[in-house]
Amino acid sequence: MKSTTQYARSYRDVQTHKLPTVALIGNPNVGKTSVFNALTGSHQKVGNWPGVTVEKKEGRFTYEGQQVAMVDLPGLYSLSPYSLDERIARSFISQEQPGAVVVIVDASNLERNMYLVFELMEMGVNLVVDLNFMDEAKERGIEVNSKELSRFLGVPVVETVAFRRQGIDELKKAIVESLQAPRRPRTFPFPEKMEKFLQQTEKLIEDSCHHDIQTSSCFACGECAAPNHPVIGFPVRWVAIKLLEGDLEVNGNLLSSLPEENREVFAGHLRSLRQAVQAEYQEEPEIVVAEERYAVIHGFVKEFFHSRSTVSRRMKLTDRLDRYFCHRYLGLPIFLLLMWLTFQVTFFLGEFFEESIEGAFEVMGEAVITFFGGVGIPWLGSLLGEGVLGGIGAILVFLPNIFILFLMISILEDSGYLSRGAFVMDRLMHAIGLHGKSFIPMLLGFGCSVPGVMACRTLESERDRKLTLLVVPLMSCSARLPIFLLFTSLFFSRYQGTILFTLYLVGIISAITVAWVLRKTLFKGEVAPLIMELPIYRIPSPKNVLSESWRKSYLFLRKAGTIIFLVVVLVWLFASLPVGVEYASIDSLMGKLGEFFAPLFRPLGFGFWQASVALIFGTVAKEVVVGTLGTLFGGEAGLTEALSAYFTPVSAFSFMVFSLLYIPCVATLAAIKREAGWKWVGFAMVYLTALAYLVSLAVFQIGRLLFG
Amino acid sequence: MALTETLEDYLQAIFHEENEKGMARVKDVAKKLAVRASSVVEAVNRLKEAGYVLYEKGDFIRLTEPGQEVAQRTFERNLVVYRFLDQVLGVEPEHARKLTCGIEHHMDRQFFDALSALCFFFERNSDVQEKFRRFADSYEKGMICDMYATLDQFGKGDTLKVIKVSGDAFLRQRLIAMGLTPGQEIVIERVAPLGDPVDVVLRGYHLSLRKEEAKCIKVEKI
């Protein structure tokens, strides 16, 4: 567990006092976040599930003196062992044994939602069913008698409209009550034929029991009367269902709990049972089980939810909107237009704040330098003014961009449009091995890689997410533009536009190539399928959108800020030491470092220390490259002359290509760290530098041959 | 009179010997059918009784006119069956020859005509032939459901019934959990602008699937 979090302290309280834990689970798009927010308010902390990049949200609430810790599980449609999200949820329920599980159900879309509920009931967990979107359900003519339903299921049922906070107090009450008096949900019989096979499997499990509770190898048989299977932690019936379904995880766990000599016999019996099911139904057992489960649900929904199946206002609206958003010819232009708007709002509105922040920090920095210069300790002034304040400025400058970006993405996601975007773009993105939703991070990458990398969270599959965030830095961000503008205006004044366009193209082609290569090598194997719900459109709740965006931006600042700050200060130190040297001159450590690296860049056409130093500074922020060159070549005036002397058009192009492709700025690396971990930061740095080197080498050597 | 299968084979052999060498000798017929000469003499005597051949001891065997006719007919049947097995079904030549020997005896005129027509039809429609071969291939590999169409073959507005969901365990489980169980009705609501993915409605909600996934869903049009 990561400890540096906003609510670390309160969370530690949660742990030491052993608060009862309640897990929140549900399908995607059922308003789970609103329920979570409504329950816990601002008492939230966000981290990742250990070892993976799936977000884990925790919070707590108090109801009539009883404190409860909530854990938000990933949104999922079923509890199979196949996807990461599902494994996380399942192992949380089995290993952490939460006191209760709240399952959020979209009351307006019952059949599919009840599937998860039934799976949870099979698990025998202490369940609370929350029928959310009751307003929408009523409009669709669905009438629920939740009291009767609760009696029938054997679990409390609460009706809510979470984003209007309706029913939240009732939900809190139900949670606390169910913690005080846990109940086992009713066991639903499968149709007779299936039930016969299930009972045989249950018997098989019970027969393999050693009746030895001390060593906890009792198989929860009737004789030992334990409610749950001691190894698997769930009722024998659930274990039986999973074994019939051929669930590899349960099967493996169970087998390894058996004495070695019994394993083969057990596996043999199980195999013949599965074959018997297959022979009876002419269908794989796992499909039969799911089918029967749906059959039970179908009957159940018909009985308890009296539906006049009216078409609600929102459904009509969804239909009408999709006629345009997913239209054969209009779909793509509308998507591009919306993306363009997102881009514009994020970067141009962001820029306004960005400039004021930059300006403010510059003024402050200068004031500090002047002040300490006045009192005779200029090095402290430089440390504070250029190092520390520069570091803080470098972090804060991203805040407006990131906040607005998260705002835009939250709106797109919560409204339901994001999945439409993926729907229209998937064909293109899938061709290069990415997902329809990968388009958004890549597009944002043209503005700034940091929000681009962060936008990768909207991708559900870990593979897609990592692949996308590794190629986002290749999209030429706006901070690289000053470098391109400086060099193209000097060396390619007649073809400035063409050269600029070529550079962007080099980035895009590299991204496509890298994605393709990675998909064939590191990310080989199954491509995540696209099985995506297109939810009905809803108006996002401003409160949710704002608080989510703020929370995410804040987290970024905290986590990435430390890294950015450290690197900025470190670079300042390198440029200022040993004491007394001119900032970043040849005599400074930085200059020495540049001198050391320079020969490496000779084959690329820019083997002089100033270029190396500029590139090292570029890892702080790409826009710094130009400034550094300016300083090293004696200010704005001297720069033009010096550059013309040092560079040829070919080496200038090579330098631009290198700046485009090499290690992204530290903020991007920090964002990659946050989303995927250090391992991938290392990988990105190595592969990007290698790619930059090779491409620049090719550009320079071929260019030299062609143009002399 | 009707001939037994064995006698038909002898008649065939004599027919071939006559066609190839201009005459049929007991020795050669025995060699061709891998039997003893005495067996050939015995069979030839019975064919002679039936009036299909002329034969005197030490002489050649000669087909009579009815004998010619029967042999010719058997030969044609043989050809058609072999062509059917070899060209339409794609049976290995050696195996096809063996099978032909068995089948040719059990044909009547109607079967012969129908089979000839079928061979001719496949010859004229090589695309159908190709399609059939592919189908047969997957059928042999146990993918019986290829008899049904898959979801990706339908377009906007089609109402379908799910027959079976195939694919690897992960995909199958996913699709089933989303409610695509056998017997479930689905409607193709729309196809994405670039032709992929598709948007289907089932159990009161919209689900989008790539054609790759849709290929794993066998359906029947309602």
Side-chain angles (χ1 to χ4, degrees):
Chain A
M1 191 64 45
K2 285 152 190 142
S3 58
T4 49
T5 37
Q6 185 186 1
Y7 298 99
R9 176 170 236 167
S10 55
Y11 181 68
R12 228 171 281 134
D13 290 346
V14 168
Q15 285 198 315
T16 46
H17 289 123
K18 282 268 172 242
L19 282 187
T21 310
V22 172
L24 201 62
I25 199 168
N27 285 184
N29 312 307
V30 295
K32 199 155 64 73
T33 308
S34 328
V35 174
F36 188 76
N37 287 348
L39 280 174
T40 61
S42 60
H43 299 285
Q44 292 184 10
K45 87 173 200 84
V46 182
N48 279 357
W49 290 92
V52 291
T53 60
V54 179
E55 194 177 81
K56 180 187 192 185
K57 271 200 291 189
E58 291 165 272
R60 63 198 161 87
F61 70 85
T62 311
Y63 183 81
E64 291 185 346
Q66 171 71 58
Q67 276 211 35
V68 178
M70 298 285 308
V71 175
D72 190 17
L73 297 176
L76 35 77
Y77 294 103
S78 76
L79 286 164
S80 70
Y82 292 112
S83 81
L84 184 64
D85 287 354
E86 291 169 332
R87 276 199 300 274
I88 290 172
R90 215 161 86 169
S91 75
F92 182 83
I93 295 174
S94 70
Q95 272 148 40
E96 308 288 319
Q97 299 271 343
V101 175
V102 179
V103 56
I104 321 274
V105 169
D106 177 353
S108 65
N109 179 10
L110 281 159
E111 278 198 15
R112 204 204 56 228
N113 274 266
M114 286 312 283
Y115 190 82
L116 182 65
V117 177
F118 270 62
E119 278 198 304
L120 286 162
M121 291 205 302
E122 285 163 9
M123 290 173 109
V125 294
N126 185 25
L127 206 61
V128 176
V129 175
D130 173 8
L131 298 174
N132 198 22
F133 293 139
M134 275 311 292
D135 50 342
E136 167 75 13
K138 275 182 190 136
E139 219 186 301
R140 281 204 197 175
I142 298 169
E143 279 168 32
V144 197
N145 185 339
S146 44
K147 271 216 187 81
E148 214 176 291
L149 184 66
S150 159
R151 211 172 307 128
F152 182 71
L153 294 176
V155 300
V157 177
V158 184
E159 298 174 23
T160 58
V161 184
F163 102 106
R164 272 193 242 127
R165 293 193 61 86
Q166 273 171 29
I168 293 300
D169 275 337
E170 286 84 345
L171 181 60
K172 283 182 183 172
K173 183 166 171 252
I175 292 171
V176 168
E177 279 174 2
S178 82
L179 281 171
Q180 282 156 357
R183 280 199 275 174
R184 220 160 229 261
R186 197 187 135 188
T187 312
F188 275 89
F190 277 94
E192 211 176 316
K193 233 180 354 173
M194 190 69 220
E195 198 60 34
K196 189 185 80 199
F197 288 113
L198 260 183
Q199 276 161 15
Q200 281 172 11
T201 317
E202 277 180 59
K203 191 159 176 325
L204 179 69
I205 300 167
E206 287 181 5
D207 285 349
S208 65
C209 174
H210 322 308
H211 311 299
D212 184 359
I213 293 176
Q214 250 86 48
T215 61
S216 86
S217 55
C218 169
F219 273 171
C221 62
E223 209 166 315
C224 307
N228 281 346
H229 190 288
V231 180
I232 314 286
F234 292 112
V236 174
R237 187 181 165 79
W238 182 79
V239 180
I241 294 172
K242 291 291 133 183
L243 286 183
L244 271 189
E245 281 181 339
D247 186 308
L248 288 176
E249 200 181 70
V250 173
N251 197 22
N253 287 350
L254 190 67
L255 277 184
S256 58
S257 79
L258 293 175
E260 212 154 320
E261 64 271 21
N262 294 353
R263 283 181 202 168
E264 214 159 295
V265 181
F266 186 89
H269 281 309
L270 184 61
R271 210 174 310 123
S272 48
L273 263 171
R274 276 174 54 86
Q275 275 161 6
V277 174
Q278 174 119 27
E280 175 83 42
Y281 288 88
Q282 291 297 314
E283 191 86 75
E284 273 87 11
E286 55 267 41
I287 297 202
V288 179
V289 172
E291 221 183 308
E292 298 285 35
R293 206 178 272 135
Y294 260 118
V296 173
I297 291 166
H298 188 75
F300 157 84
V301 167
K302 246 190 179 159
E303 190 171 337
F304 280 90
F305 299 87
H306 307 288
S307 172
R308 295 191 307 273
S309 59
T310 0
V311 176
S312 70
R313 214 180 49 230
R314 283 201 194 95
M315 279 168 84
K316 271 187 220 146
L317 180 72
T318 299
D319 234 40
R320 210 166 305 143
L321 284 175
D322 272 346
R323 232 171 274 164
Y324 299 102
F325 287 161
C326 301
H327 186 269
R328 205 156 156 200
Y329 302 113
L330 294 176
L332 274 168
I334 291 178
F335 172 76
L336 291 176
L337 183 75
L338 283 171
M339 284 303 107
W340 181 81
L341 270 175
T342 308
F343 195 89
Q344 292 294 316
V345 172
T346 304
F347 294 108
F348 288 85
L349 199 62
E351 199 177 25
F352 169 73
F353 294 102
E354 206 175 288
E355 273 166 10
S356 4
I357 292 172
E358 254 174 2
F361 273 89
E362 227 161 80
V363 172
M364 275 194 285
E366 269 162 30
V368 169
I369 292 171
T370 324
F371 173 78
F372 282 99
V375 293
I377 24 177
W379 66 268
L380 186 61
S382 171
L383 171 65
L384 292 177
E386 278 167 350
V388 177
L389 276 177
I392 297 172
I395 305 159
L396 282 186
V397 102
F398 285 108
L399 183 65
N401 269 343
I402 288 175
F403 181 75
I404 298 167
L405 167 82
F406 278 133
L407 210 66
M408 299 301 288
I409 289 195
S410 284
I411 293 170
L412 286 175
E413 201 168 13
D414 290 2
S415 66
Y417 181 76
L418 202 58
S419 29
R420 270 74 179 185
F423 182 71
V424 296
M425 280 306 291
D426 188 73
R427 179 71 218 281
L428 272 182
M429 301 311 285
H430 187 54
I432 56 168
L434 297 171
H435 187 277
K437 284 185 188 169
S438 307
F439 185 80
I440 294 160
M442 289 174 79
L443 182 85
L444 288 165
F446 283 124
C448 174
S449 308
V450 175
V453 167
M454 307 200 80
C456 291
R457 302 182 174 191
T458 51
L459 291 152
E460 284 101 21
S461 123
E462 175 137 8
R463 179 191 164 281
D464 288 338
R465 196 158 48 220
K466 283 192 176 142
L467 201 51
T468 309
L469 67 81
L470 283 174
V471 299
V472 163
L474 293 171
M475 307 275 111
S476 182
C477 74
S478 55
R480 286 158 180 147
L481 200 55
I483 311 176
F484 301 160
L485 289 177
L486 174 70
F487 280 91
T488 47
S489 65
L490 264 178
F491 295 99
F492 305 98
S493 50
R494 279 180 58 198
Y495 314 102
Q496 206 171 356
T498 318
I499 294 291
L500 259 180
F501 180 73
T502 313
L503 283 163
Y504 275 84
L505 213 57
V506 166
I508 295 168
I509 293 170
S510 304
I512 293 173
T513 316
V514 168
W516 189 82
V517 169
L518 287 179
R519 189 175 50 127
K520 294 279 173 203
T521 53
L522 217 54
F523 293 90
K524 211 160 59 184
E526 281 302 300
V527 175
L530 180 92
I531 303 174
M532 178 182 64
E533 183 184 357
L534 298 174
I536 61 170
Y537 290 104
R538 296 177 203 281
I539 294 169
S541 125
K543 209 182 138 195
N544 265 350
V545 167
L546 280 170
S547 70
E548 283 288 293
S549 316
W550 168 245
R551 207 174 44 73
K552 285 177 181 160
S553 322
Y554 177 82
L555 261 165
F556 169 75
L557 284 188
R558 270 188 69 90
K559 298 245 169 172
T562 337
I563 302 169
I564 300 172
F565 180 78
L566 280 177
V567 172
V568 170
V569 172
L570 200 72
V571 166
W572 175 86
L573 273 176
F574 264 73
S576 314
L577 292 176
V579 181
V581 296
E582 198 185 321
Y583 190 72
S585 69
I586 182 87
D587 300 318
S588 69
L589 280 179
M590 184 65 84
K592 297 270 181 280
L593 212 58
E595 231 178 349
F596 174 76
F597 280 121
L600 280 178
F601 293 121
R602 203 157 296 136
L604 311 190
F606 41 92
F608 35 92
W609 71 272
Q610 293 93 332
S612 310
V613 169
L615 287 172
I616 296 169
F617 269 99
T619 58
V620 174
K622 291 283 154 100
E623 60 266 40
V624 178
V625 171
V626 171
T628 311
L629 285 173
T631 317
L632 297 179
F633 287 123
E636 294 279 323
L639 185 60
T640 320
E641 235 167 82
L643 285 183
S644 312
Y646 277 91
F647 284 95
T648 64
V650 174
S651 69
F653 190 70
S654 159
F655 185 78
M656 286 191 285
V657 168
F658 194 86
S659 330
L660 164 69
L661 301 175
Y662 85 122
I663 305 178
C665 66
V666 59
T668 306
L669 292 176
I672 295 177
K673 151 75 183 67
R674 164 132 181 76
E675 300 299 316
W678 282 117
K679 193 178 119 195
W680 294 103
V681 173
F683 179 78
M685 285 171 72
V686 172
Y687 108 76
L688 286 167
T689 313
L691 180 74
Y693 197 89
L694 289 176
V695 177
S696 295
L697 184 70
V699 162
F700 183 65
Q701 296 301 341
I702 295 170
R704 211 165 49 156
L705 282 178
L706 291 180
F707 304 106
Chain B
M1 82 165 244
L3 287 171
T4 63
E5 282 178 29
T6 332
L7 288 182
E8 252 178 28
D9 286 342
Y10 278 104
L11 208 57
Q12 275 278 292
I14 296 162
F15 178 73
H16 282 299
E17 286 296 309
E18 263 192 359
N19 277 354
E20 281 162 28
K21 299 175 184 154
M23 59 193 175
R25 278 190 300 211
V26 171
K27 195 175 71 185
D28 292 336
V29 172
K31 207 165 135 198
K32 194 170 192 100
L33 293 170
V35 292
R36 273 175 295 138
S38 56
S39 311
V40 177
V41 173
E42 196 183 317
V44 167
N45 280 329
R46 287 176 56 195
L47 285 172
K48 191 178 157 191
E49 271 167 45
Y52 290 127
V53 297
L54 296 171
Y55 174 69
E56 292 306 328
K57 203 169 174 190
D59 199 359
F60 305 129
I61 312 163
R62 266 181 301 240
L63 290 170
T64 60
E65 207 164 299
Q68 278 278 351
E69 210 172 277
V70 171
Q72 179 75 35
R73 205 169 60 217
T74 319
F75 178 63
E76 278 168 7
R77 287 176 182 179
N78 183 300
L79 266 186
V80 138
V81 171
Y82 182 77
R83 217 170 89 195
F84 174 71
L85 290 170
D86 178 59
Q87 284 170 19
V88 178
L89 297 189
V91 178
E92 295 290 315
E94 193 50 44
H95 190 50
R97 251 189 291 280
K98 247 191 236 156
L99 284 174
T100 309
C101 288
I103 298 170
E104 64 186 8
H105 303 298
H106 300 282
M107 293 178 88
D108 60 4
R109 185 84 225 163
Q110 202 184 353
F111 185 22
F112 174 79
D113 286 345
L115 204 61
S116 308
L118 190 67
C119 289
F120 193 47
F121 170 77
F122 273 119
E123 218 173 84
R124 289 274 294 269
N125 298 281
S126 53
D127 53 322
V128 179
Q129 167 73 60
E130 192 51 39
K131 229 171 162 177
F132 172 73
R133 277 287 177 82
R134 269 203 308 273
F135 174 84
D137 272 352
S138 49
Y139 184 85
E140 277 163 25
K141 281 176 200 138
M143 291 182 272
I144 295 175
C145 281
D146 281 9
M147 288 193 292
Y148 289 104
T150 49
L151 176 56
D152 61 297
Q153 292 160 353
F154 293 89
K156 188 177 166 171
D158 286 338
T159 304
L160 311 162
K161 195 169 91 181
V162 178
I163 301 293
K164 192 184 163 82
V165 177
S166 58
D168 63 18
F170 163 69
L171 186 65
R172 219 168 41 207
Q173 196 281 334
R174 233 323 120 77
L175 292 171
I176 293 272
M178 297 305 281
L180 283 159
T181 52
Q184 176 65 40
E185 249 180 53
I186 54 178
V187 180
I188 299 183
E189 187 72 17
R190 60 173 61 82
V191 178
L194 299 170
D196 195 14
V198 290
D199 165 13
V200 298
V201 172
L202 73 152
R203 298 186 194 267
Y205 80 100
H206 286 255
L207 181 68
S208 64
L209 300 164
R210 282 198 195 119
K211 291 223 156 139
E212 261 170 75
E213 280 86 58
K215 270 203 182 88
C216 298
I217 303 166
K218 315 283 184 218
V219 290
E220 201 176 59
K221 194 164 174 177
I222 307 178

